[in-house]
Amino acid sequence: MAKSGNGPLKIRTYGDPVLREVSKPVAEITPELRQLAQDMLATMYAADGVGLAAPQIGKSVRLVVIDIAKEESQRNPLVLFNPEVFPDEESELSVCEEGCLSVPDLWAEVARPNRVTFRALDIDGQPVEMTVEGTLARAVQHETDHLDGRLFVDRIGPAERAMLQSKLKKMARGRK
Ligand code: NI
């Protein structure tokens, strides 16, 4: 495993089978996993992303990192092991354009609950539970989907999906 300062990890892209796997729960937060979380954050920042899930860098473990801050000076990283997301049943759906570092240059509108509660373990192994809304709620849902092998393009309507199909096929072919 890369030690700190080794630069960004390689981001896997659409068509890579690892993105379709169901990731394994983390039994113990080892120093290696903490380092992995730090390397994932560095990779995410370098790629200008707001979230990254472990399968995206080829590791099938239930770990995501998120930071929705727009400015470097406002960084506020979240490291979540074994995240579980519970949509607020009263919450309205919000529709917003999404993209993904593993599906480069492609954006689509995705409907998701605007408010969710999530539970996870933080980088120190402490349980966290938070109710969040808006962009952060969207990011938590998008990243946790990755741990179940699900991509945002699976959640768009059939008409829009049909329009993106040839781009997606080309992307999957291009990585081989
Ligand atoms: Ni993604």
Side-chain angles (χ1 to χ4, degrees):
M1 190 53 242
K3 293 277 178 277
S4 55
N6 278 353
L9 305 167
K10 183 181 182 296
I11 296 176
R12 306 299 183 93
T13 53
Y14 190 87
D16 192 317
V18 73
L19 295 173
R20 292 308 194 177
E21 284 174 22
V22 175
S23 295
K24 288 176 207 67
V26 172
E28 188 197 349
I29 299 170
T30 58
E32 288 75 21
L33 281 172
R34 279 199 195 99
Q35 184 61 56
L36 178 64
Q38 298 296 352
D39 292 342
M40 281 170 56
L41 277 170
T43 303
M44 179 190 81
Y45 290 132
D48 267 331
V50 296
L52 191 67
Q56 295 183 269
I57 48 87
K59 302 272 182 194
S60 249
V61 294
R62 301 190 84 84
L63 162 62
V64 308
V65 299
I66 293 170
D67 193 339
I68 60 164
K70 290 195 179 72
E71 305 285 335
E72 207 172 319
S73 61
Q74 293 169 346
R75 277 184 185 173
N76 184 21
L78 264 182
V79 172
L80 305 176
F81 291 98
N82 301 336
E84 290 180 279
V85 180
F86 307 93
D88 183 333
E89 282 176 16
E90 321 256 281
S91 172
E92 288 178 7
L93 286 180
S94 80
V95 178
C96 206
E97 195 160 73
E98 274 184 43
C100 178
L101 293 176
S102 292
V103 190
D105 303 322
L106 199 152
W107 291 267
E109 291 197 327
V110 183
R112 298 187 189 267
N114 187 51
R115 186 169 58 233
V116 299
T117 297
F118 69 84
R119 285 187 209 132
L121 298 175
D122 70 10
I123 197 160
D124 300 313
Q126 296 301 311
V128 286
E129 179 173 329
M130 277 172 83
T131 299
V132 294
E133 291 187 334
T135 308
L136 185 52
R138 181 170 292 276
V140 169
Q141 292 175 81
H142 175 117
E143 298 313 325
T144 303
D145 269 356
H146 274 297
L147 305 182
D148 294 320
R150 203 173 293 133
L151 300 171
F152 78 100
V153 289
D154 305 336
R155 290 198 180 273
I156 63 183
E160 204 172 359
R161 182 127 195 237
M163 267 161 48
L164 298 178
Q165 210 49 255
S166 69
K167 255 184 153 177
L168 289 169
K169 277 198 182 130
K170 225 179 264 171
M171 209 180 283
R173 272 203 308 271
R175 58 165 293 280
K176 295 207 175 94

